[in-house]
């Protein structure tokens, strides 16, 4: 066997990874990509030994994660790029190059991921530039017009139309991955909560699951169910926020204000559970910090009932408005083939007809016993991404009501043991945007030696830039909001 | 049209009318209180669990500028000395006043100078700058404009351009990659101007205080007018702080 297969959240022995010579490594990864696996990480498993890297690929059909090792000890850090044939690996190769000095030979477009004024390959990076008559460039950011995170956008326009949008990020880079290695064990959960403040529960879920697997800690069913309930409330809240943003961007004030009001109810439900409107402080290693009392259940139920009742009417109003539909439909299209080839994930992928949902394909925690339904749409436009939010919200509401009615009994927290030496784990969670991957590995003295995070935004920013080709700049806010990607989750 | 009216009726009256006396949900962690009783001999459980080194012992003090308002210290203290109340009033006008001791009763900022109130008392336009913020603070600042909080009713609004602003609200630990942009944006704000730090990251670095990718020189070079603690601070904390400061509460 040229690679090892693991399951989501299954801890594995680091010694079991097979490290192939570079050509063999490159071919094996190609082979797996060819058979439909998708890359989810490309990184050294030990930060201090950059010459040994792993490529992690997930195969949704068989719920398996493949780990291929590559050994570059005897020679240059170079391998043949996969990105020409499989554009989904493009950004992973850029990241590996930026962080560890690898060069993927014949890479179509090596560009910086997080660092500013970086030298990639051997020349300083220049923005892509279009030249010719009727050509102009529009540069926006890092500071944008609204209360949002920073990022730089460079539009190369031909007349009214966008020829290319280059998205340059990294402004939020706080070195979270390094901080995980430096942090005291009691700081790690708080770091996880602040990877992306809008996906606090998603990232903390992935982090806790990873460390619990590495310590073989068993979580009680009650804690598992409450974790998934909180994750679904976060999904409801952020989908409401997304719909509020989309309606705001088309100047449709009434639904926008209504979604805003309902979102307050959703995040206040989280505050009723754990005191923080974003679910901070809820997760603890081995379970959760706050149990559901009758009062919490009552308040959460009441809030969500209001949301369920109101949102149905508001959705109906929105999705039957001709004005709204004409703005949403056929704007920012990303078709199924393109979505597949660039490795889009999560809500955006499902809106382009890709059946990919970690809760279903790689079930974890309480989703193993209490499944959710897959929601896919086929058109891949802003309409699909808006409609998918509405539908996922319905499904999340159904899930939450079902779970809190039949909450299993039990303790909410178990004691966590010591970290298994020489082991690693891959923990994948479906955040509200999509696939969140946390990879942790432990050295022979029981310390974290690598912590790798992949937010769904890492995959999807490229998708946003492609949807804008041949559309007008005025469509940018709407397309951007329909993806609603994280800067801090990408920048780390 | 009928549908629109129905939806408007569903909205009801969601606004929080009495901002000053509003309190958080029972579990909400706002202003901490420290009971006047001795710690157990040699006990340092609270400082051990604190992720941001916000607690000092003998006597117990909590620096709200560092605090991320997590539930750890309250749960760890065997003597129940530390307790987080659901009080939103935690804003101060100096970093020192963010330290809560057993003597602390109420926290409010000193009323701003007459000059500031004359300039900004009726209309205050702010430019928010996210310098490494995780989007938690940004979400709460955005929430200020929704129908529940409606900050605009007090003449306080967020604007798109620093040229239109009377001051900046900084979120995030100020990353190296944003340090320059923050400086440029602040420079573009016409005088007189104010600086508000929103959230633990901006005030102290918070959970990112040990990051080697931050560049916090901006804070040393400029005078900070308001400190809004929290992770993220609640919208009502921001509102009360500003209204108290401008003497409008």
């Amino acid at each position: 066997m040229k690679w090892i297969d693991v399951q989501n959240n299954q801890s594995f022995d680091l010694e079991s990874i097979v490290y192939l010579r570079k050509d063999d490594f490159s071919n094996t990864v190609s082979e797996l990509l060819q058979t439909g696996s998708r890359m989810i990480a490309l990184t050294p498993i030990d930060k201090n030994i950059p010459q040994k890297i792993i490529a992690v690929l997930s195969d949704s059909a068989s719920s398996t994660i493949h780990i291929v090792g590559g050994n570059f000890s005897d020679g240059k850090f170079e391998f043949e790029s996969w990105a020409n044939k499989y554009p989904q690996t493009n950004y992973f190769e850029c990241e590996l190059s930026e962080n560890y000095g690898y060069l993927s030979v014949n890479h179509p477009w090596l560009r910086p991921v997080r660092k500013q004024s970086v030298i990639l390959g051997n020349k300083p990076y220049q923005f892509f530039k279009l030249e010719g008559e009727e050509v102009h460039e529009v540069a926006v950011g890092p500071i944008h017009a609204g209360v949002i995170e920073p990022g730089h956008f460079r539009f190369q326009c031909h007349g009214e139309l966008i020829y290319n949008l280059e998205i340059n990020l990294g402004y939020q880079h706080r070195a979270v991955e390094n901080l995980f290695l430096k942090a005291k064990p009691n700081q790690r959960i708080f770091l996880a909560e602040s990877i992306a403040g809008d996906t606090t529960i998603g990232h903390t879920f992935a982090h806790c699951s990873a460390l619990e697997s590495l310590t073989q800690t068993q979580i009680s069913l009650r804690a598992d169910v409450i974790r998934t309930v909180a994750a679904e409330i976060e999904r409801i809240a952020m989908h409401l926020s997304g719909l509020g943003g989309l309606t705001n961007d088309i100047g449709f004030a009434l639904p926008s204000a209504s979604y805003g009001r309902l979102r307050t109810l959703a995040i206040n439900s989280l505050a009723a559970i754990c005191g923080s409107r974003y679910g901070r402080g809820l997760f603890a290693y081995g379970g959760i910090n706050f149990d559901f009392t009758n009062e919490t259940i009552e308040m959460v139920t009441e809030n969500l009932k209001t949301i369920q009742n109101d949102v149905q009417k508001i959705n109906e109003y929105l999705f039957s408005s001709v004005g709204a539909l004409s703005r949403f439909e056929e704007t920012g299209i990303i078709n199924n083939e393109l979505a597949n080839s660039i490795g889009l994930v999560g809500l955006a992928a499902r809106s382009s007809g890709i059946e990919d949902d970690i809760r279903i394909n790689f079930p974890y925690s309480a989703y193993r016993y209490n499944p959710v339904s897959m929601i896919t749409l086929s058109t891949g436009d802003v309409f699909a991404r808006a409609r998918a939010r509405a539908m996922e919200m319905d499904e999340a509401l159904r899930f939450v009501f079902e779970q809190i009615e039949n909450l299993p009994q039990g303790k909410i927290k178990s004691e966590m043991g010591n970290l298994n030496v020489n082991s690693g784990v891959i923990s994948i969670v479906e955040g509200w945007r999509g696939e969140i991957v946390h990879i942790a590995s432990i050295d022979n003295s029981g310390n974290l030696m690598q912590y790798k995070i992949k937010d769904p935004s890492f995959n999807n920013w490229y998708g946003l830039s492609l949807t804008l080709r041949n559309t007008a700049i005025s469509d940018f806010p709407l397309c951007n909001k329909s993806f609603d990607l994280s800067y801090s989750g990408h920048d780390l | 049209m009928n549908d629109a009216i129905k939806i408007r009726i569903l909205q009801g009256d969601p606004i929080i009318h009495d901002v000053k006396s509003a309190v958080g949900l029972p579990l909400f962690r706002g202003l901490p209180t420290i009971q006047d009783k001795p710690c157990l001999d040699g006990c340092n459980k609270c400082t051990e669990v604190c992720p941001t080194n916000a607690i000092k012992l003998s006597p117990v003090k909590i620096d709200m500028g560092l605090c991320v308002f997590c539930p750890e210290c309250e749960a760890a203290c065997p003597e129940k000395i530390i307790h987080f109340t659901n009080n939103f009033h935690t804003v101060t006008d100096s970093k020192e006043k963010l330290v809560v001791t057993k003597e602390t009763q109420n926290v409010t900022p000193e009323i701003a100078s007459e000059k500031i109130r004359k300039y900004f008392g009726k209309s205050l336009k702010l430019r928010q700058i996210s310098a490494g913020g995780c989007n938690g603070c940004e979400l709460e600042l955005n929430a200020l404009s929704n129908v529940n909080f409606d900050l605009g009713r007090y003449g306080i609004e967020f604007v798109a351009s620093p040229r239109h602003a009377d001051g900046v609200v900084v979120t995030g630990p100020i990353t190296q990659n944003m340090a320059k942009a923050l400086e440029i944006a602040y420079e573009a704000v016409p005088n007189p101007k104010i600086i508000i730090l929103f959230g633990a990251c901006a005030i102290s670095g918070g959970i990112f205080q040990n990051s080697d990718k931050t560049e916090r020189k901006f804070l040393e070079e400029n005078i900070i007018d308001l400190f809004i603690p929290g992770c993220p601070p609640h919208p009502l904390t921001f509102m009360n702080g500003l209204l108290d400061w401008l003497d409008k509460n």
Side-chain angles (χ1 to χ4, degrees), chain A residues 144 171-172 197-198 261 277, chain B residues 11 127 132 134-135 140 175:
Chain A
H144 298 270
Y171 296 92
Q172 303 282 69
D198 47 32
R261 166 179 64 94
R277 307 212 305 163
Chain B
Q11 280 288 79
R127 172 63 241 196
C134 70
N135 207 19
E140 287 300 43
T175 54

Side-chain angles (χ1 to χ4, degrees), chain A residues 342-408:
Chain A
I342 61 170
L344 217 59
V345 297
L347 178 104
R350 291 192 291 278
S351 303
S352 297
I354 297 177
E355 295 200 354
D356 167 46
D357 188 324
I358 304 303
R359 294 172 293 171
I360 295 153
N361 297 120
F362 296 88
Y364 55 96
S365 185
Y367 296 117
R368 285 173 296 175
Y369 326 110
N370 311 316
V372 290
S373 325
M374 176 89 71
I375 284 155
T376 56
L377 283 100
S378 57
T379 47
D381 50 4
V382 172
F383 169 79
R385 289 185 286 275
R387 192 83 191 109
R389 280 181 166 82
M391 290 164 78
E392 286 200 354
M393 216 152 57
D394 289 345
E395 175 63 6
L397 283 163
R398 178 201 64 78
F399 179 88
V400 173
F401 287 132
E402 210 173 281
Q403 299 315 313
I404 53 182
E405 257 173 46
N406 311 300
L407 213 53

